[in-house]
Structures are given as C-alpha cells and as structure tokens.
Amino acid sequence: MPTLAEVRDEPMTADGLVLRRPHPRDAALVHRGTHDPLVREFLQGVVPHPDTAAAERWLTDIPPMLWRTGRAAYFTLQDAETGDAVGWAELVDFDPGYERAEVTVWLLPEHRRLRTAKAALRLACRFGFERIGLRRIDAYAAADNMPSQLTGAAIGFRRAGYRPALFRGSRTHRLHDAVHATLVPEDLC
Ligand SMILES: CC(C)(COP(=O)(O)OP(=O)(O)OC[C@H]1O[C@@H](n2cnc3c(N)ncnc32)[C@H](O)[C@@H]1OP(=O)(O)O)[C@@H](O)C(=O)NCCC(=O)NCCS
C-alpha cells in the first residue's frame, strides 16, 4: 500500500464534480467555509481565518505539509463545468497501516440541498479506496446533523454505533453526541 506522499494525486471527476488538491487560490472558499455556522458547529477545531490573505497563507503551508507527512489528505471540491470551488473534503486520522481513515465533507451554503453532497462524499471515499488503498472509511456525524447522516447512508455507509458526547462544536463549544458510520469499498454506491 502506498504512503500518502506516493499516491497518484491528480484530480478525480464524477457527477459534475472535481476532487482535487487545494491550492492558495482557494482562499475565498476556505475563508467562507471556516466562518459558516454549520461548518463550525458540526466540525471540530475549525478556526475561522481572519481574512482571505490568512486563508491563502494557511493553504500554502498546511495542506501540503499534512499530505507530505501522511497526516491528512485535504481536497477542494470544484464544479466541473464552471470551475467554481464549492466545498471541501478531508481524509484524516489514518491508521499506521493506512487501511482506515475518517472522512469529512462540507459545502458552501449555496451548494447545499442540491444533491451535490452525495457526489462529493462518494469522490472523497473513492480517492481513499482507489488511490490510497484504504479498506474502511469512518464518519462521525453529530446526532442532530441529519443531512450528513443521510448523505452517508445514501452512498453505502452503515451505522456502526452511537457515541455520546463525542466532540465539541467549534462555534458554541456544545458537546455533541455523534453517530458513527462506516464504509467498505464493496458497499460504496
Ligand atoms: C453535510 C452536508 C455536506 C450535506 O450536504 P447537503 O447538500 O446539505 O445534503 P443534501 O441536501 O443532499 O441532503 C442529504 C439528505 O438530507 C436531507 N436533509 C437535508 N436537510 C435536512 C434537514 N435539515 N433535516 C432533515 N433532513 C435533511 C435531504 O432531504 C437528503 O435526504 P434524501 O437524499 O433522502 O432526500 C452539508 O449540509 C454541509 O456542508 N453541512 C455543514 C458541514 C457539515 O455538517 N459537514 C459534515 C460534518 S460530519
């Protein structure tokens, strides 16, 4: 199995979406995303960038470093037709053998409720299975985050457990119970 630094990292396209490695020109996306109330509430450790220049500096330094050192694979999601950046995906928390990881996806508000989420999550999982060689991908959605849970279930994630008080939202610092779901390559649809 390749290390993250060795995987083919060219963009992956399907269902009108492109999954590609981020670049500094994605600063507006990252700036907006880290200020979005739902992204901040339903993801842990989201620090809002003060401005796009700060987001650009972060994009220049952090995602390439995390990829190089095998700690996380961050992706920008882009509309295949317009080229607009619409969201973000992450594969994180790789196990030492790189056989499992955790996935997270967010979309900018104007790209929600359009069924883009399924395509986005599917692409991120395909990258994990096809390029990195993962055997399992886990997702943890806040118990009150129905869109996230339904998106996972729609592409083949199976509910694996209920985790009370698993994480604190980045915005309110409220403790969230979470639903653990898991996906193996054979179930991806
Ligand atoms: C999670 C996220 C990517 C889902 O994208 P989305 O575009 O909102 O999802 P969809 O509109 O495709 O909805 C998915 C499902 O949830 C349903 N849904 C949407 N909003 C809902 C709501 N408020 N309550 C209940 N169900 C809802 C949809 O009807 C759809 O179900 P269906 O396919 O059976 O019709 C998006 O909401 C987001 O970016 N949220 C903020 C960040 C986040 O929570 N990320 C996940 C962290 S684990």
Side-chain angles (χ1 to χ4, degrees):
M1 202 168 317
T3 64
L4 194 50
E6 291 166 341
V7 303
R8 285 172 40 229
D9 66 351
E10 63 269 25
M12 220 177 215
T13 304
D15 302 319
L17 265 191
V18 179
L19 179 94
R20 60 161 173 79
R21 289 188 63 177
H23 47 59
R25 291 191 302 283
D26 299 322
L29 167 82
V30 166
H31 178 249
R32 279 192 66 201
T34 59
H35 284 263
D36 177 78
L38 289 185
V39 171
R40 295 188 59 212
E41 194 53 42
F42 288 140
L43 274 74
Q44 271 189 103
V46 176
V47 180
H49 296 287
D51 50 37
T52 49
E56 191 173 329
R57 285 194 296 278
W58 181 84
L59 280 162
T60 303
D61 295 339
I62 303 302
M65 181 274 288
L66 293 175
W67 193 290
R68 203 172 48 246
T69 56
R71 286 161 60 194
Y74 288 174
F75 305 95
T76 294
L77 293 155
Q78 177 181 310
D79 185 303
E81 200 173 316
T82 64
D84 293 341
V86 302
W88 184 262
E90 301 182 356
L91 289 167
V92 299
D93 198 20
F94 293 99
D95 82 357
Y98 274 28
E99 293 208 325
R100 61 99 25 216
E102 183 181 331
V103 69
T104 306
V105 166
W106 57 256
L107 299 175
L108 289 174
E110 65 271 26
H111 296 284
R112 295 177 193 156
R113 312 301 301 254
L114 298 172
R115 308 203 168 254
T116 303
K118 271 186 251 175
L121 188 60
R122 190 182 292 117
L123 264 178
C125 293
R126 277 189 53 203
F127 194 100
F129 292 140
E130 295 173 22
R131 300 275 181 88
I132 304 177
L134 297 173
R135 285 290 308 140
R136 192 181 99 221
I137 296 177
D138 294 309
Y140 297 88
D144 51 346
N145 190 353
M146 284 316 288
S148 180
Q149 291 173 48
L150 291 170
T151 301
I155 70 156
F157 275 85
R158 294 171 197 245
R159 188 173 164 130
Y162 192 83
R163 307 281 297 273
L166 184 70
F167 73 95
R168 277 192 195 282
S170 308
R171 186 170 63 104
T172 61
H173 305 293
R174 193 160 63 86
L175 267 178
H176 287 284
D177 294 351
V179 173
H180 172 203
T182 195
L183 179 71
V184 291
E186 301 74 26
D187 287 345
L188 181 61
C189 57

